[in-house]
Amino acid sequence: IEGGVEALEVLTPEEFEKSRGATVRVQHRVVALEPSKGRLVVESLIHRSRHDEAFDRFILATGARARRLGVDGEAAPGVFSLRGLEDAAALKTWLDTEPVRHVVVEGGGFEGLEMAEAMRDRAIRATILDTRGRVLGLDIADPMIAPMHEAMRARGVHVRAEQVTAIETEATGRVRAVRTNQGELIGCQAVIVAIGIEPRTALAESAGVHLGETGAIAVDDAMRTNVRTVWACGDVIEVPRVVDGNAVHWPLAPIGRRTARVAARNAAGARPADRFTGVTPSVAVRAFGIEAAHAGLSLDEARASGFDAEAIMVQHWSRVKMVPGSKPLHVRYVVEQGSGRLLGGELVGAEGAALRANVLVPWIRAGTTVREIAEEMDLVYNPPIAPATDPLRIAAAKAMRSVKGAGR
Ligand SMILES: Cc1cc2nc3c(=O)[nH]c(=O)nc-3n(C[C@H](O)[C@H](O)[C@H](O)COP(=O)(O)OP(=O)(O)OC[C@H]3O[C@@H](n4cnc5c(N)ncnc54)[C@H](O)[C@@H]3O)c2cc1C
């Protein structure tokens, strides 16, 4: 949206064929998959023709699609959701060529937040609608979100606890306003729908491949589906979460790469089979000059999984406080009572939040306790980089004092 969409294409189909020795057919869609016959039907989107292909083994990597609002007017020119580079290019063209003064962003998750910031960077007014009346509601707890909201307000971006119920258009068909469930009519010249994604499972289902409880494809730890000759990977599958073993749909690139590698090796006949060892969910965003990051379980998720969990929160500094540029850093831990095991963590601040979440990932995965973090982890100290006692250890020390049984 800020320009340079073309530079994001890292590998052309031709380069991929040359460097990897695989045949690539873009503009072709698999329209039917018949594992029992080892046959699939491919449609050329250019020639509108169909032909059969034979296969021994098949890897489903059909990804996910943007969730739709399902309201009148959603197909109007000026309504966008972002899934691929083409979507970003189409939005950019719209902003470059239409007199856009105000954009409504439906959904205050990571994508909605980034889109609102991109609009402000182009001096376009942006309003976020989110039923929770706040941003990042799935990943950052209520007491932690204030710095992000303050930074947004300073740039004139407001979050309204509303939901689009219809999109209204001009006589030309272009979007002119949204109607909300609060009966409001909000004028705008573009709408960005950022309400999450859903796995693209139709092809899998038509081939008899089972879905799991999240609605994504169920696979075993070798990425094998219930159909003997079919594996699956990426955004279309669900994966087990390390901390509690629950299946989650966690459609992000690092998981896509890990599961793709396992699926590819096993479909190619790896002996012994390559195994996927589960996911420790982690996400981060930087918008409006604030970083927000989350790793592991939220308090609600931990309790829903049966953990007797508590949350603690501290505010400390990104570097030694006196050093110019040091910024407040908020840390929240979700800790199991009794064992003191770290189950999840969130960080929010103008610097030093996102990459500290990376430190939490191996701790959460390994079942590290807050006592071990507070007393045994030698985190870096250098005044312009980090305080003598890192905020991650300060938070652990607080958890030792205030979470039942965690001080042992
Ligand atoms: C705007 C945006 C920002 C993102 N930012 C991040 C980020 O910062 N960090 C991060 O970790 N992840 C991010 N992601 C997520 C990341 O892009 C996905 O996790 C990753 O692309 C998943 O890869 P995949 O191959 O499973 O699916 P996809 O990349 O969706 O690829 C699936 C492909 O299959 C094709 N396909 C589907 N059905 C058929 C069919 N029947 N026949 C032939 N082809 C078919 C589709 O056209 C598509 O090209 C972002 C995603 C979006 C949309």
Side-chain angles (χ1 to χ4, degrees):
I1 310 307
E2 290 144 6
V5 173
E6 306 75 21
L8 293 173
E9 188 178 49
V10 291
L11 207 56
T12 64
E14 295 73 27
E15 286 164 348
F16 191 82
E17 290 201 333
K18 210 165 148 212
S19 63
R20 309 291 206 281
T23 304
V24 181
R25 300 216 187 114
V26 290
Q27 299 291 322
H28 284 72
R29 179 186 294 135
V30 179
V31 290
L33 179 62
E34 296 176 40
S36 59
K37 296 183 184 154
R39 187 185 86 105
L40 51 90
V41 181
V42 181
E43 181 179 60
S44 160
L45 302 182
I46 302 163
H47 305 297
R48 290 283 153 205
S49 57
R50 290 186 174 197
H51 69 273
D52 285 5
E53 295 255 0
F55 71 89
D56 300 316
R57 294 166 182 200
F58 193 87
I59 301 176
L60 277 161
T62 46
R65 65 160 62 85
R67 262 201 201 109
R68 294 172 57 82
L69 288 170
V71 303
D72 286 347
E74 196 168 3
V79 182
F80 299 90
S81 57
L82 290 180
R83 201 47 218 157
L85 286 182
E86 323 75 61
D87 302 323
L91 172 58
K92 184 172 180 316
T93 302
W94 185 263
L95 299 174
D96 288 344
T97 55
E98 297 287 325
V100 178
R101 298 177 306 282
H102 183 211
V103 173
V104 167
V105 180
E106 170 90 358
F110 288 92
E111 186 185 324
L113 200 54
E114 287 176 347
M115 284 300 109
E117 183 185 42
M119 295 308 116
R120 293 307 294 135
D121 289 347
R122 294 183 62 123
I124 295 170
R125 202 154 69 81
T127 301
I128 295 178
L129 304 190
D130 191 298
T131 42
R132 292 182 177 84
R134 50 155 298 186
V135 297
L136 305 180
L138 291 176
D139 291 285
I140 304 293
D142 287 350
M144 294 278 286
I145 201 62
M148 182 65 84
H149 279 178
E150 277 162 29
M152 290 166 62
R153 270 196 298 275
R155 302 261 333 254
V157 176
H158 297 277
V159 189
R160 295 168 60 148
E162 286 172 70
Q163 194 177 341
V164 173
T165 51
I167 294 170
E168 307 225 334
T169 54
E170 298 171 345
T172 58
R174 291 177 172 80
V175 59
R176 74 170 183 91
V178 297
R179 257 190 205 288
T180 78
N181 59 342
Q182 302 296 320
E184 299 284 334
L185 186 68
I186 306 173
C188 57
Q189 297 75 41
V191 178
I192 298 175
V193 181
I195 54 171
I197 61 169
E198 53 199 16
R200 210 187 268 122
T201 55
L203 184 65
E205 288 178 87
S206 72
V209 170
H210 292 168
L211 307 186
E213 59 201 65
T214 67
I217 294 175
V219 288
D220 66 11
D221 62 357
M223 296 297 120
R224 201 167 202 157
T225 70
N226 61 301
V227 177
R228 202 177 47 83
T229 51
V230 179
W231 284 255
C233 60
D235 282 5
V236 76
I237 64 166
E238 61 179 32
V239 285
R241 191 165 53 189
V242 170
V243 177
D244 56 7
N246 284 354
V248 291
H249 183 225
W250 194 252
L252 286 174
I255 317 305
R257 296 179 78 125
R258 285 179 63 207
T259 56
R261 193 174 302 119
V262 173
R265 283 184 182 149
N266 291 333
R271 289 287 173 273
D274 210 14
R275 304 283 174 194
F276 182 72
T277 52
V279 58
T280 311
S282 62
V283 279
V285 67
R286 183 190 290 129
F288 302 100
I290 298 289
E291 297 177 3
H294 173 215
L297 305 188
S298 68
L299 184 60
D300 287 348
E301 286 170 337
R303 287 180 173 164
S305 282
F307 286 105
D308 188 5
E310 269 306 325
I312 63 94
M313 205 177 124
V314 297
Q315 189 212 301
H316 197 60
W317 295 90
S318 60
R319 323 178 195 180
V320 166
K321 187 178 170 188
M322 301 308 165
V323 169
S326 186
K327 299 284 190 313
L329 185 63
H330 303 262
V331 184
R332 180 177 148 105
Y333 280 164
V334 175
V335 180
E336 185 182 31
Q337 297 197 47
S339 72
R341 176 183 172 194
L342 182 69
L343 301 172
E346 298 162 31
L347 297 111
V348 177
E351 68 166 18
L355 292 181
R356 277 188 173 86
N358 272 352
V359 181
L360 300 184
V361 170
W363 287 347
I364 293 167
R365 203 178 165 95
T368 309
T369 65
V370 287
R371 192 194 58 72
E372 288 169 325
I373 295 169
E375 298 182 353
E376 295 173 16
M377 295 297 166
D378 303 311
L379 302 184
V380 295
Y381 159 53
N382 196 328
I385 300 171
T389 307
D390 193 89
L392 295 180
R393 290 184 51 221
I394 302 263
K398 172 152 184 191
M400 279 178 69
R401 291 192 301 276
S402 44
V403 176
K404 205 166 65 193
R408 284 200 292 270

